[in-house]
Amino acid sequence: MALDAETRDQLVETVRRFVTERLRPLEAQVSEDDAIPDEVIEEMKALGLFGLSIPAECGGLDLGMEEEVLVALELGRTSPAFRSAFGTNVGIGAQGLVMFGNAAQKAMYLPGIASGEIITSFALTEPEAGSDSAAVQTRAVRDGDHYVLNGAKRYITNANKADLFTVMARTDPSKPGGGGVSAFLVERNLPGLSVGKPEKKMGQQGAHICDVIFDNVRVPVENRLGGEGEGFKVAMQVLDRGRLHISAVCIGVAERLIADCVAYASERKQFGQAISQFQLVQGMIADCKTESLAAKALTLETARKRDAGESVTMEAAAAKYFASEMVGRVADRAVQIFGGAGYIADYGIERFYRDVRIFRIYEGTSQIQQVIISRETLKRGG
């Protein structure tokens, strides 16, 4: 349900102020502590950030894709760990339920997800199933009115905070690839489910990823999402939306870095003048701005197409591919423009340089996006 223009603009402005006034001053602290303060999480809940994409009848803001992109752009202007705190509730951790859940499932979980009382997580990746997402080996065996899950998931975002997992598990081992995979809503407190300790990562301190282990976990049949064998379809449709969200975050980070570069280059003097006066520095700024504008135009156009009901599998992959590669180049140039100051922690540029590297990996690596783009282009005949 699209918001009217005035309400949408008010929401974007509110998020912009929250990012500028509340989140940005905490960036270094969150990185140092590897944790987001509890009071900030509560403020995010009060703002409705956990329910951006949840239907209004379930307590969410029910944003369309373009509206979500505009909000995600603002959230990209600070450390990505802040967005990650509620990102799975907005995206991959909840969208399977929004798109494919039945009325009872939605009534059971979506109000709590929208309020932030329930934290969600998306459990697809395994030790042998990452880019090859159809190679899921976690098993779900029907036993009366339950399925029994056994297996392990790896690098699962927000797993240590999650109350509810959307889990991809193989229900029919005789079917190769995605055809034998089903999706399940699995509650954290079920016996046999355990979560490993958070991994030490290159960047995005404050956002955690963990292993999730299933040891004879009994999941009620009514917690299956869709029919048996439809799990891969659930995952792919969820990822289409998630890729546009990540594209917007990448653009927001790029715009933040460009603004920081302009401010620094205008003050930093060498050879008797601000370094912004040197054409080679201007060239780097121009490349950053041009690429960020191109990514923004592609992402917004694709979001509008999705809101109009068009299939955007190829376009979403292209947006995510271009935006995530773009922000990596922008971060690299930012370090170069800041010089030695860009390499030390005080200015935060090296932190963003590390933070943005993961964007080229999750929600499908750049190479997987290339495969999708070429496949869909060939399918469409050009």
Side-chain angles (χ1 to χ4, degrees):
M1 182 181 70
L3 302 176
D4 62 81
E6 182 180 356
T7 303
R8 181 197 66 191
D9 292 346
Q10 287 176 347
L11 173 63
V12 171
E13 178 58 29
T14 298
V15 173
R16 180 180 297 135
R17 287 201 312 271
F18 182 65
V19 166
T20 302
E21 299 170 8
R22 191 72 176 101
L23 302 186
R24 286 183 60 162
L26 294 172
E27 289 172 352
Q29 176 190 326
V30 166
S31 178
E32 183 69 24
D33 296 346
D34 193 22
I36 298 171
D38 290 340
E39 61 269 23
V40 173
I41 297 295
E42 293 305 313
E43 291 170 34
M44 290 176 173
K45 291 177 182 178
L47 282 172
L49 296 182
F50 283 82
L52 292 175
S53 61
I54 306 301
E57 60 268 24
C58 297
L61 296 183
D62 204 10
L63 299 189
M65 193 72 247
E66 182 182 3
E67 294 162 344
E68 185 180 327
V69 161
L70 292 172
V71 172
L73 264 164
E74 299 303 325
L75 294 164
R77 300 183 199 277
T78 187
S79 294
F82 289 112
R83 182 213 61 90
S84 186
F86 58 85
T88 47
N89 274 38
V90 172
I92 57 178
Q95 282 304 300
L97 176 57
V98 171
M99 295 177 187
F100 295 93
N102 58 41
Q105 291 168 338
K106 291 178 179 180
M108 173 73 72
Y109 298 115
L110 285 182
I113 293 171
S115 69
E117 179 185 352
I118 296 174
I119 302 299
T120 63
S121 193
F122 183 68
L124 171 61
T125 301
E126 297 180 358
E128 300 299 327
S131 292
D132 185 7
S133 54
V136 167
Q137 295 303 308
T138 296
R139 287 293 312 279
V141 177
R142 182 74 177 261
D143 181 25
D145 57 358
H146 286 75
Y147 285 89
V148 180
L149 270 62
N150 281 283
K153 300 293 182 177
R154 177 158 289 178
Y155 309 139
I156 305 305
T157 302
N158 283 342
N160 57 327
K161 303 287 179 63
D163 305 290
L164 183 69
F165 296 88
T166 300
V167 180
M168 299 297 149
R170 189 165 296 281
T171 46
D172 188 348
S174 68
K175 291 183 180 178
V181 176
S182 301
F184 299 91
L185 299 168
V186 182
E187 296 181 7
R188 167 69 172 271
N189 59 5
L190 290 178
L193 192 157
S194 60
V195 176
K197 65 180 182 179
E199 301 281 358
K200 293 183 178 180
K201 313 190 307 300
M202 175 189 288
Q204 296 205 19
Q205 279 68 42
H208 300 143
I209 59 173
C210 313
D211 287 354
V212 182
I213 311 300
F214 303 92
D215 182 10
N216 290 320
V217 178
R218 295 183 64 83
V219 180
V221 169
E222 57 264 29
N223 276 34
R224 188 184 65 218
L225 268 179
E228 275 204 6
E230 293 185 351
F232 195 66
K233 179 176 73 173
V234 171
M236 293 305 101
Q237 292 198 30
V238 165
L239 287 170
D240 272 356
R241 182 169 188 136
R243 285 165 180 157
L244 287 172
H245 181 102
I246 292 299
S247 299
V249 174
C250 289
I251 297 158
V253 174
E255 291 185 349
R256 157 72 183 276
L257 288 170
I258 293 167
D260 287 353
C261 286
V262 168
Y264 183 81
S266 298
E267 296 175 358
R268 171 69 168 161
K269 289 183 169 58
Q270 290 290 284
F271 303 101
Q273 60 182 316
I275 64 172
S276 61
Q277 299 305 304
F278 298 120
Q279 288 183 332
L280 291 176
V281 173
Q282 292 173 0
M284 287 190 284
I285 291 172
D287 286 346
C288 291
K289 189 63 174 180
T290 301
E291 289 191 69
S292 70
L293 286 171
K296 189 173 185 177
L298 173 58
T299 301
L300 283 169
E301 178 187 26
T302 304
R304 293 178 189 125
K305 285 183 176 179
R306 191 182 187 282
D307 283 339
E310 297 181 37
S311 173
V312 294
T313 296
M314 187 269 284
E315 290 85 353
K320 196 270 180 181
Y321 174 45
F322 186 79
S324 62
E325 294 284 340
M326 174 275 295
V327 75
R329 293 189 291 267
V330 169
D332 186 75
R333 294 186 194 112
V335 173
Q336 198 70 14
I337 290 169
F338 273 72
Y343 199 72
I344 64 173
D346 290 354
Y347 288 81
I349 299 299
E350 62 82 30
R351 185 179 65 245
F352 274 105
Y353 182 83
R354 291 181 286 107
D355 285 347
V356 303
R357 187 58 184 85
I358 190 63
F359 290 138
R360 285 180 268 172
I361 297 173
Y362 63 26
E363 310 281 358
T365 65
S366 289
Q367 289 64 45
I368 288 297
Q369 307 310 324
Q370 288 175 304
V371 169
I372 295 169
I373 295 162
S374 61
R375 183 193 67 208
E376 294 298 312
T377 301
L378 290 167
K379 191 186 298 182
R380 298 180 189 186

